[in-house]
């Protein structure tokens, strides 16, 4: 009986459930699509790595730095050529193939002088062509490289660059340039993880990429008589020291680590925004069921009068919500497959080829989809169901609605004030916290409490704020304006819930904008204060070879250049603790080109054999000026250096860095093993035209497209571009939540029009024109949207400003409030209100007056 009643009620009001259903569909689609995409990508790469890994791989021994294999730029570790013969003699080995593979060369199209292949993310891999039992690629056009002037490109890279058989490709290794002719095109057998691949013959690859006859690894394939672990043990026993050996499983785990970190971050970020959308959708569902319960007050009263219990009424509403959740989740799962396919196509556009024909729909997809959809609808409908069950039969039969419970309103107000005050207090504590980690914890909890507090206080705030927002409406729009203001204030709970959905999305938009604007302004201020060099020259992944540095030094208008190398090292402090860190080895002119934030010590010590450390590192290890730190560069190369200066924290250009002079480094590490400069800073000669010198520098590096040359203004633009890219991604992710919030406004207005059918008929009967009626609904919508935007702006400013204060000592020292974004948000809210009212206003204007008055 209960199920039949619920089903009849649901399908009788199916039109009014449509937008709530759409909100559930969108949220579930986002979650299920993300999971399907993540599962598909993970499965694809698992198959790729499993099908291409050798049984064991023999590689150069680790550097000894806590098991890490980092190396200075331009330095490639190798194994001797005779390793192939030695490992081939090991029992159980069927095939051993010497392989050359590097990621520090650049592929260039000589016709355009532009780099081909990815500029970030996946690498450009150049090596030798080998025939192995598990080659990841196969020649699909042309042939393998057969001479010192031939090269093979992967099909994706060749297609993007517009290159085919017979075209020229230049390989830049270090500062040397080598031209080749494309002899073959290779296609991935499973998928392309986004990398660019180029293959030379073995002798050429050794000469061009390594500068000697050697291999970067030896790939070994067994005959099946021994397990991979046994092959590994035998290989280590026969080869001795100087090698490391990895089984197929270890290779797969290592490869998955890099790809998995990217996919994991992407998955978690998208799921986070999907949950935000689901939360916003919950407000829409609450409003839908609240209004349906109010409209069905007489129906519920009749049900109670004929013997229906409170529990049965409660369950009937929840069963309707369950139907909505199941139906929405089912449709959302289908839509999620479409979203996953779209994400796969997007990844193809950036070079990661995945197949939409092999979507991985594992058990977690329907579990998460139905779990989210059903949970959101049941939780959202619980409040209206609870109110429905409390309707007394006689009170319900007397009127279409029930009076507000003043006691519950008072309790709601107290709870809201307590939560908001508590959240505000936590935000204050976060801003004043000594440590960023502590401040971050306070900030997270403060954001949660203030958000819940504002949601709970929404009805109370609606009455006062909407009164202010709508104060001018009667004067500007006459009766339509006055009615719009009163309608928005008529049901504060409904207005608060509708505006709350919009508030959440806009609060996150404003908070993110404040944070990113502060990042840009703080970085620019630090550049102005700390950087005396006029130009920043970066070699990207490959670094800057000595010949490139020499080219910068010889550029007309350049006074001097300052190089900066990065090397991995293990630091041992006097307290006996060790830390794996990156060391910056800089030229003597570094102290002239940069103003370093000094807490104690002297910048001159950098050129006197000392090490410069940060304030936090010094505090954590109790370091003072003159204390000695052991520096281990690996391969037995160590130094004991005194602390010459401690840097004050709060400058992102220096925080977390450790500096030594390049001359100091040279006493422990030979120049040949120091690697290339990662970045070079140029200083213009006194009286030189800075702009012309910049043009001259660009001319000096025109044959090296991987090198970027920027002045300080260009570097600031780069920082802004990078931060804005992150911000636009956040905006895009929040777009779904804002769309759902807009649907909530449309839903509220549409159901409100149905609820006020008789009222609208009476208004029309006493002279309100269709135009005035439509204007009334549009103005009501605008007021509700503005109310949500104002609450969201206030919350977003509080969150963003607190976030900046939490990270003030971490380099985010300058607060920037993006007034343009705030104004744009408020204007956008007006537009949202107008758009949301289009359909409800149109439907209201078309009502038949007599039929509307006769509506029960």
């Amino acid at each position: 009986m209960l199920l039949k009643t619920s089903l009849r009620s649901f399908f009788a009001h199916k039109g009014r459930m449509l937008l709530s259903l759409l909100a559930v569909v969108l949220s579930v689609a986002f979650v299920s699509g993300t999971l399907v995409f993540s599962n598909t990508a993970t499965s694809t790469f698992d198959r790729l790595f499993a099908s291409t890994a050798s049984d064991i791989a023999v590689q150069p021994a680790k550097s000894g730095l806590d098991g890490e294999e980092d190396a200075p730029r331009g330095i490639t570790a190798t194994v001797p050529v005779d390793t192939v013969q030695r490992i081939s003699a090991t029992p159980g080995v069927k095939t051993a193939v010497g392989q050359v593979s590097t990621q520090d060369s650049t592929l260039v199209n000589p016709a355009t002088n532009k780099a081909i292949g990815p500029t970030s993310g996946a690498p450009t891999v150049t090596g030798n062509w080998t025939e192995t039992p598990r080659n990841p690629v196969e020649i699909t056009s042309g042939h393998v490289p057969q001479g010192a002037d031939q090269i093979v490109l992967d099909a994706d890279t060749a297609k993007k660059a517009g290159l085919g058989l017979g075209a020229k490709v230049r390989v830049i290794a270090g500062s040397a340039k080598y031209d080749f002719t494309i002899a073959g095109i290779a296609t991935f057998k499973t998928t392309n993880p986004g990398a660019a691949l180029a293959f030379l013959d073995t002798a050429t690859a050794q000469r061009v990429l390594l500068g000697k006859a050697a291999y970067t690894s030896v790939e070994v394939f067994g005959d099946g008589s021994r397990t991979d672990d046994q092959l590994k043990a035998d290989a280590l026993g026969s080869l001795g020291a100087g090698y490391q050996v990895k089984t197929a499983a270890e290779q797969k785990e290592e490869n998955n680590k890099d790809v998995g970190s990217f996919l994991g971050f992407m998955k978690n970020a998208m799921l986070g925004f999907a949950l935000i959308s689901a939360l916003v959708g919950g407000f829409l569902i609450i409003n839908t069921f609240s209004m349906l319960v109010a409209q069905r007050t007489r129906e519920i009263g009749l049900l109670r009068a004929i013997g229906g219990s409170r529990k049965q009424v409660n369950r009937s509403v929840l069963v309707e919500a369950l139907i909505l959740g199941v139906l929405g989740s089912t449709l959302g799962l289908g839509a999620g497959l479409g979203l996953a396919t779209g994400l796969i196509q997007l990844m193809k556009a950036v070079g990661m080829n995945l197949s939409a024909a092999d979507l991985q729909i594992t058990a977690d997809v329907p579990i998460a989809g139905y779990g989210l959809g059903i949970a959101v609808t049941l939780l959202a409908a619980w409040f209206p169901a609870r109110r429905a069950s409390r309707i007394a039969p006689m009170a319900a039969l007397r009127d279409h609605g029930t009076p507000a419970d003043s006691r519950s309103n008072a309790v709601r107000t107290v709870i809201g004030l307590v939560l908001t005050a508590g959240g505000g207090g936590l935000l204050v504590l976060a801003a004043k916290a000594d440590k960023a980690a502590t401040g971050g914890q306070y900030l997270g909890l403060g954001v949660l409490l203030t958000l819940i507090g504002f949601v709970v206080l929404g009805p109370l705030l609606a009455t006062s704020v909407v009164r202010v927002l709508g104060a001018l409406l009667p004067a500007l729009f006459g009766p339509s304006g006055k009615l719009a203001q009163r309608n928005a204030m008529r049901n504060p709970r409904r207005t608060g819930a509708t505006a709350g959905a919009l508030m959440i999305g806009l609060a996150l938009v404003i908070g993110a904008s404040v944070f990113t604007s502060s990042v840009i302004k703080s970085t620019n201020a630090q550049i102005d204060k700390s950087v005396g060099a006029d130009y920043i020259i970066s070699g990207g992944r490959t670094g800057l070879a000595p010949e490139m540095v020499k080219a910068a030094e010889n550029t007309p208008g350049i006074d001097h250049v300052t190089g900066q190398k990065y090397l991995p090292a293990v630091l041992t402090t006097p307290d006996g603790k060790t830390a794996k860190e990156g060391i910056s080895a800089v030229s003597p002119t570094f102290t002239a080109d940069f103003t370093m934030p000094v807490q104690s010590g002297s910048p001159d010590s950098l050129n006197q054999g000392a090490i410069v450390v940060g304030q936090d590192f010094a505090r954590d290890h109790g370091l003072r000026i003159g204390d000695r730190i052991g520096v281990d560069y690996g391969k037995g190369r160590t130094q004991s250096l005194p602390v010459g200066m401690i840097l004050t924290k709060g400058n992102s250009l220096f925080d977390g860095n450790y500096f030594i002079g390049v001359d100091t480094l040279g006493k422990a590490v030979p120049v040949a093993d120091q690697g290339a400069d990662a970045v070079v800073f140029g200083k213009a000669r006194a009286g030189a035209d800075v702009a012309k010198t910049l043009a001259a520098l660009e001319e000096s590096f025109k044959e090296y497209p991987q090198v970027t040359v920027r002045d300080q203004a260009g570097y600031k633009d780069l920082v802004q571009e990078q931060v804005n890219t992150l911000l636009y991604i956040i905006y895009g992710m929040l777009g779904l939540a804002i769309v759902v919030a807009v649907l909530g406004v449309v839903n509220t207005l549409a159901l409100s029009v149905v609820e006020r059918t008789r009222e609208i008929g009476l208004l029309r009967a006493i002279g309100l024109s269709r135009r005035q009626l439509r204007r009334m609904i549009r103005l009501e919508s605008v007021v509700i949207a503005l109310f949500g935007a104002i609450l969201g702006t206030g919350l977003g400013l509080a969150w963003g400003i607190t976030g900046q204060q939490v990270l003030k000592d971490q380099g985010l020292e300058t607060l920037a409030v993006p007034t343009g974004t705030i104004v744009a948000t408020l204007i956008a809210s007006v537009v949202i209100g107008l758009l949301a009212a289009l359909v409800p206003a149109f439907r209201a204007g078309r009502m038949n007056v007599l039929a509307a008055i006769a509506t029960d």
Side-chain angles (χ1 to χ4, degrees):
M1 180 68 180
L2 177 64
L3 179 61
K4 186 181 293 185
T5 302
S6 299
L7 286 171
R8 285 181 177 177
S9 178
F10 180 85
F11 288 108
H13 302 96
K14 57 182 178 295
R16 305 179 194 181
M17 296 282 194
L18 184 60
L19 293 180
S20 295
L21 179 69
L22 183 57
V24 176
V25 169
L26 290 175
S27 299
V28 172
F30 210 147
V31 170
S32 59
T34 299
L35 291 176
V36 170
F37 167 75
S38 175
N39 293 341
T40 301
T42 301
S43 173
T44 300
F45 286 115
D46 282 346
R47 292 199 307 273
L48 170 66
F49 299 142
S51 63
T52 59
S54 56
D55 292 333
I56 60 170
V58 180
Q59 301 171 351
K62 299 176 182 178
S63 63
L65 301 180
D66 291 350
E68 297 292 335
E69 300 174 70
D70 297 336
R73 300 190 191 209
I75 303 295
T76 302
T78 61
V79 297
V81 170
D82 65 359
T83 306
V84 175
Q85 288 72 36
R86 294 172 62 191
I87 198 67
S88 297
T90 303
V93 172
K94 181 179 181 180
T95 305
V97 180
Q99 190 171 75
V100 177
S101 180
T102 66
Q103 299 182 14
D104 56 3
S105 58
T106 304
L107 303 179
V108 179
N109 182 350
T112 61
N113 199 39
K114 291 184 178 179
I116 59 177
T119 56
S120 61
T124 295
V125 181
T126 310
N128 65 325
W129 179 268
T130 58
E131 296 290 349
T132 70
R134 299 173 195 157
N135 202 325
V137 295
E138 59 184 352
I139 299 294
T140 52
S141 180
H143 55 79
V144 301
Q146 297 174 349
D149 63 342
Q150 295 185 358
I151 193 170
V152 170
L153 277 187
D154 74 271
D156 296 316
T157 300
K159 182 179 179 180
K160 289 178 183 177
L163 300 173
L165 295 178
K168 299 293 184 180
V169 171
R170 180 172 296 154
V171 176
I172 301 178
S175 60
K177 298 179 286 291
Y178 306 89
D179 287 345
F180 298 92
T181 300
I182 298 178
I185 301 296
T187 302
F188 278 85
K189 295 178 181 178
T190 304
T191 185
N192 182 353
L197 300 188
F199 302 96
L200 312 171
D201 66 41
T202 297
T204 305
Q206 290 172 332
R207 173 175 56 85
V208 170
L209 304 175
L210 304 179
K212 60 183 179 180
Y215 297 115
T216 54
S217 69
V218 175
E219 305 303 316
V220 181
F221 301 88
D223 59 12
S225 62
R226 281 174 166 76
T227 66
D228 291 352
D229 289 329
Q230 289 173 331
L231 282 175
K232 175 180 178 178
D234 292 343
L236 288 172
S238 63
L239 292 174
Y243 299 88
Q244 62 171 326
V245 179
K246 294 180 180 177
T247 64
E250 291 169 338
Q251 295 173 63
K252 178 183 174 182
E253 181 182 0
E254 182 180 37
N255 290 326
N256 273 331
K257 188 182 299 182
D258 295 331
V259 176
S261 60
F262 167 72
L263 293 176
F265 172 79
M266 186 175 178
K267 172 184 174 180
N268 292 334
M270 293 183 66
L271 287 177
F273 285 106
L275 292 177
I276 293 172
S277 300
L279 175 62
V280 172
F283 287 96
L284 191 159
I285 296 168
I286 288 174
N287 264 2
T288 298
F289 278 94
S290 295
M291 297 176 78
L292 287 177
V293 166
Q295 292 167 20
R296 290 159 51 195
T297 300
R298 179 168 293 179
E299 175 188 325
I300 293 171
L302 285 170
L303 186 62
R304 291 292 312 282
I306 62 175
S309 66
R310 286 188 173 185
K311 184 179 293 187
Q312 287 177 314
V313 171
N314 185 296
R315 287 179 179 176
S316 69
V317 176
L318 291 180
V319 168
E320 289 184 48
L322 178 62
I323 296 169
L324 176 68
V326 171
L327 182 58
S329 299
T330 303
L331 295 175
L333 287 171
L337 297 181
L339 175 62
T341 302
L343 289 172
I344 287 173
Q345 297 303 320
L346 179 63
M347 289 296 101
K348 281 186 177 181
V350 299
M352 184 182 289
N353 285 341
L354 302 173
S355 175
D358 191 27
L359 295 179
Q360 297 295 308
I361 308 173
T362 53
D364 62 332
V365 176
I367 290 174
Y370 280 108
L372 177 69
I374 293 173
V376 167
T377 51
L378 287 179
L379 287 174
W382 183 80
F383 297 99
R386 185 167 171 266
R387 286 198 294 270
S389 67
R390 292 184 174 183
I391 295 175
M394 296 308 297
L397 292 172
R398 283 195 299 267
D399 191 27
H400 288 286
T402 57
D405 186 348
S406 58
R407 181 181 176 185
S408 66
N409 286 340
V411 172
R412 182 189 188 104
T413 300
V414 171
I415 293 175
L417 289 173
V418 170
L419 288 172
T420 304
L426 286 170
L427 293 181
V428 172
L429 289 175
K432 294 182 177 180
D434 294 330
K435 294 184 178 180
T438 304
Q441 293 173 350
Y442 286 146
L443 173 61
L445 189 56
V447 165
L448 180 62
L449 291 183
T450 51
L451 176 61
I452 298 174
F454 265 57
V455 169
V456 175
L457 284 177
L460 177 66
L461 294 173
T463 304
S464 53
V465 176
V466 169
R467 180 178 285 111
V468 174
L469 289 176
L472 293 177
L473 294 183
L476 294 175
F477 301 101
S480 297
K482 190 170 186 177
L483 288 170
Q485 181 193 31
R486 291 187 176 182
N487 285 336
M489 295 169 55
R490 174 187 294 183
N491 193 323
R493 281 189 177 181
R494 183 185 306 165
T495 299
T498 305
L502 197 58
M503 172 191 73
I504 295 173
L506 296 181
L508 292 170
V509 166
I510 296 297
S513 298
V514 171
F515 180 80
T516 53
S517 297
S518 299
V519 169
I520 293 170
K521 190 171 182 179
S522 297
T523 303
N524 289 345
Q526 289 164 2
I527 292 173
D528 292 336
K529 181 171 63 176
S530 303
V531 181
D534 298 303
Y535 312 104
I536 298 96
I537 307 165
S538 173
R541 287 194 183 100
T542 62
L544 295 158
E547 292 81 0
M548 296 179 181
V549 178
K550 184 65 68 176
E553 291 175 337
N554 294 334
T555 299
I558 289 293
D559 181 72
H560 66 264
V561 298
T562 298
Q564 185 170 358
K565 302 176 187 290
Y566 295 113
L567 294 91
V570 173
L571 306 182
T572 303
T573 51
D575 58 6
K577 296 180 180 178
T578 60
K580 171 70 166 48
E581 303 289 352
I583 295 288
S584 293
V586 296
S587 303
T589 50
F590 186 83
T591 54
D593 289 341
F594 288 86
T595 302
M596 305 175 78
V598 182
Q599 184 191 56
S600 59
S602 169
D604 294 337
S605 64
L606 187 59
N607 296 323
Q608 297 169 356
I611 185 171
V612 176
V613 301
Q615 178 179 343
D616 287 341
F617 185 80
R619 182 198 61 215
D620 293 342
H621 298 281
L623 296 174
R624 297 182 179 181
I625 301 300
D627 289 346
R628 303 193 76 85
I629 296 177
V631 184
D632 183 355
Y633 303 100
K635 298 182 180 179
R637 296 161 177 168
T638 62
Q639 285 181 312
S640 177
L641 303 177
V643 175
M645 185 172 72
I646 297 174
L647 297 168
T648 302
K649 69 177 181 179
N651 189 315
S652 59
L653 300 178
F654 300 100
D655 284 349
N657 286 311
Y658 303 81
F659 295 94
I660 62 172
V662 71
D663 294 335
T664 304
L665 175 67
K667 296 177 181 179
V669 180
V671 173
D673 293 337
Q674 291 178 7
D677 287 311
V679 64
V680 167
F681 305 95
K683 181 68 176 177
R685 189 178 296 117
D689 187 307
V690 177
K692 289 183 178 179
T693 305
L694 175 62
L697 271 174
E698 291 172 339
E699 181 68 19
S700 298
F701 288 99
K702 69 178 183 180
E703 294 186 355
Y704 302 102
Q706 77 274 24
V707 176
T708 58
V709 181
R710 294 183 177 87
D711 57 10
Q712 287 196 21
Y715 187 73
K716 291 177 182 177
D717 290 341
L718 174 64
V719 172
Q720 184 164 347
E721 289 172 6
Q722 292 172 338
V723 173
N724 283 343
T725 298
L726 173 62
L727 185 61
Y728 295 150
I729 292 174
I730 293 174
Y731 285 171
M733 293 291 191
L734 289 174
L736 177 63
I738 293 175
V739 167
V740 174
V742 173
L743 291 178
V745 179
V746 176
N747 184 68
T748 298
L749 292 174
L751 292 179
S752 179
V753 167
V754 174
E755 185 180 62
R756 288 151 39 193
T757 299
R758 176 182 288 181
E759 176 187 320
I760 290 172
L762 290 171
L763 289 172
R764 293 277 286 113
I766 62 175
L768 192 71
S769 67
R770 289 184 176 180
R771 182 178 181 182
Q772 288 175 313
L773 176 62
R774 288 194 292 265
R775 179 184 295 165
M776 175 191 76
I777 293 174
R778 286 195 298 268
L779 291 175
E780 180 182 351
S781 177
V782 168
V783 168
I784 292 174
L786 266 177
F787 173 48
I790 289 174
L791 294 185
T793 300
L795 274 181
L797 285 173
W799 297 347
I801 291 171
T802 304
Q804 182 269 329
Q805 289 294 311
V806 168
L807 297 175
K808 188 174 182 179
D809 292 335
Q810 308 299 315
L812 205 65
E813 58 185 12
T814 307
L815 174 66
V817 177
T819 54
T821 301
I822 294 173
V823 172
T825 300
L826 295 176
I827 294 174
S829 68
V830 174
V831 175
I832 286 172
L834 292 173
L835 293 176
L838 286 178
V839 174
F842 178 75
R843 290 183 60 187
R846 294 187 63 188
M847 280 186 184
N848 181 282
V849 176
L850 294 179
I853 294 174
T855 300
D856 187 10

